[in-house]
Amino acid sequence: MKPIQVLMVCLGNICRSPTAQGVFEARIQQRQLAEHILVDSAGTSGWHIGELPDARSRKAAQRRGYDLSQQRGRQVTVQDFHDFDYILAMDRQNLQALKAICPDGFSGHLGLFLEFSRKQSYLEVPDPYHGGSEGFELVLDLIEEAADGLLADILEKHPEIRAQARNS
Ligand code: 4NP
């Protein structure tokens, strides 16, 4: 069975999308679906290639039990549209940048990550980079909610994966 591949995308790939990757990985592991759903992250910019996620993101995530320390920054590529089934942008600016490089014939889902959130109080994950610690907590709150919605959506659309999921 071919795994479903999910790519989380922000601007720098050091704050929001690594957090989204770490949270979604944890959800996938809780349901014992690591073989069936793969997740990665990338930035639309190349500013932080090879870097660890921002220390503030790593600390905030660690306090909620998510480990971001194995991740390194990378820039999104056209090849990603061939490899991934879901390409999910943290905000509209990054969605526009992705649409600009999306090859004709891409058959996956390209959209905003927070569209999968059941709360939908926000449609964009605000960039926390230049702000205080409360911004990093908001990033986690929004991402946790959307990660639950995304997993529910994938399981609904893929009964073969749903059959493998451990109930939690
Ligand atoms: P991210 O946040 O897109 O969530 O990783 C940012 C990280 C770095 C910069 C901007 C946003 N920067 O200007 O370097």
Side-chain angles (χ1 to χ4, degrees):
M1 189 163 46
K2 191 180 159 292
I4 302 286
Q5 303 227 52
V6 177
L7 184 67
M8 306 294 190
V9 181
C10 64
L11 181 60
N13 191 212
I14 54 168
C15 298
R16 293 165 293 175
S17 61
T19 302
Q21 178 181 343
V23 170
F24 197 51
E25 274 171 353
R27 296 295 188 272
I28 291 165
Q29 278 163 15
Q30 279 159 10
R31 303 294 295 273
Q32 295 185 351
L33 291 171
E35 281 173 59
H36 305 294
I37 305 174
L38 306 181
V39 54
D40 192 11
S41 67
T44 56
S45 80
W47 301 334
H48 298 282
I49 292 170
E51 292 179 23
L52 271 166
D54 187 285
R56 297 165 295 173
S57 291
R58 278 186 281 138
K59 277 195 195 115
Q62 189 72 58
R63 280 196 292 272
R64 297 194 195 191
Y66 307 113
D67 177 20
L68 310 186
S69 68
Q70 300 309 305
Q71 297 189 42
R72 297 295 182 274
R74 75 167 180 90
Q75 189 170 17
V76 74
T77 66
V78 172
Q79 182 63 38
D80 289 323
F81 291 88
H82 300 284
D83 295 339
F84 288 88
D85 305 293
Y86 288 79
I87 299 185
L88 301 173
M90 297 298 127
D91 61 26
R92 291 186 181 91
Q93 179 196 337
N94 288 296
L95 181 57
Q96 280 313 113
L98 290 165
K99 283 182 176 168
I101 59 163
C102 179
D104 290 344
F106 172 62
S107 60
H109 177 99
L110 174 60
L112 291 171
F113 179 44
L114 294 191
E115 280 171 7
F116 290 95
S117 177
R118 279 158 298 196
K119 280 202 183 139
Q120 301 226 326
S121 48
Y122 288 71
L123 263 181
E124 301 182 285
V125 184
D127 183 349
Y129 189 68
H130 295 289
S133 62
E134 68 291 345
F136 290 85
E137 297 302 325
L138 176 61
V139 165
L140 276 159
D141 292 341
L142 296 173
I143 284 173
E144 286 181 328
E145 189 64 34
D148 291 336
L150 175 61
L151 186 55
D153 186 85
I154 291 175
L155 295 181
E156 199 175 300
K157 291 196 177 117
H158 298 274
E160 73 286 5
I161 295 179
R162 189 165 70 237
Q164 305 294 321
R166 194 187 80 171
N167 287 320
S168 61

